[in-house]
């Protein structure tokens, strides 16, 4: 009789290599929305001297400044904690 294989011996149907849709999906895909890539490419490819992480304006500037403030604040906090931990305790 021998041992039975743990995995099925037949390979499953390919998922990504087919052009047909899986059953159950509607004919149109409204959940995909519009393609924003061409618009974003226009924004990011403009040669205006700004770094790429600040190209989209005010929200990017606020996110960048918040990140830098938290980084600098965390570094200062760590240095203070190390300084306090390095001091000998008074008896």
């Amino acid at each position: 009789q021998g041992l039975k294989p743990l995995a099925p011996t037949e390979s499953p149907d390919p998922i990504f290599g087919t052009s047909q849709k899986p059953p159950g999906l509607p004919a149109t895909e409204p959940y995909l929305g519009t393609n924003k890539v061409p618009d974003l490419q226009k924004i990011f490819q403009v040669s205006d001297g700004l770094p790429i992480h600040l190209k989209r304006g005010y929200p990017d500037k606020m996110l960048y400044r918040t990140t830098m403030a938290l980084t600098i604040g965390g570094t200062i906090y760590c240095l203070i904690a190390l300084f306090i931990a390095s001091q000998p305790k008074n008896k």
Side-chain angles (χ1 to χ4, degrees):
Q1 295 183 14
L3 298 174
K4 294 181 181 178
L6 295 176
T9 56
E10 298 176 8
S11 62
D13 295 331
I15 297 173
F16 299 109
T18 62
S19 62
Q20 54 184 321
K21 295 181 185 179
L25 287 180
T28 60
E29 289 121 2
Y31 57 88
L32 290 179
T34 59
N35 187 6
K36 297 178 184 177
V37 173
D39 298 331
L40 292 175
Q41 283 177 340
K42 289 176 188 173
I43 293 171
F44 289 123
Q45 290 177 352
V46 173
S47 177
D48 56 0
L50 284 175
I52 194 74
H53 58 274
L54 297 176
K55 289 266 188 180
R56 292 182 67 188
Y58 186 73
D60 283 349
K61 288 179 185 176
M62 289 306 297
L63 183 62
Y64 176 74
R65 290 177 183 165
T66 303
T67 303
M68 293 310 295
L70 289 172
T71 303
I72 292 169
T75 303
I76 292 170
Y77 180 76
C78 287
L79 291 174
I80 292 171
L82 283 171
F83 178 75
I84 292 172
S86 69
Q87 299 300 314
K89 301 227 179 214
N90 293 332
K91 291 185 178 181

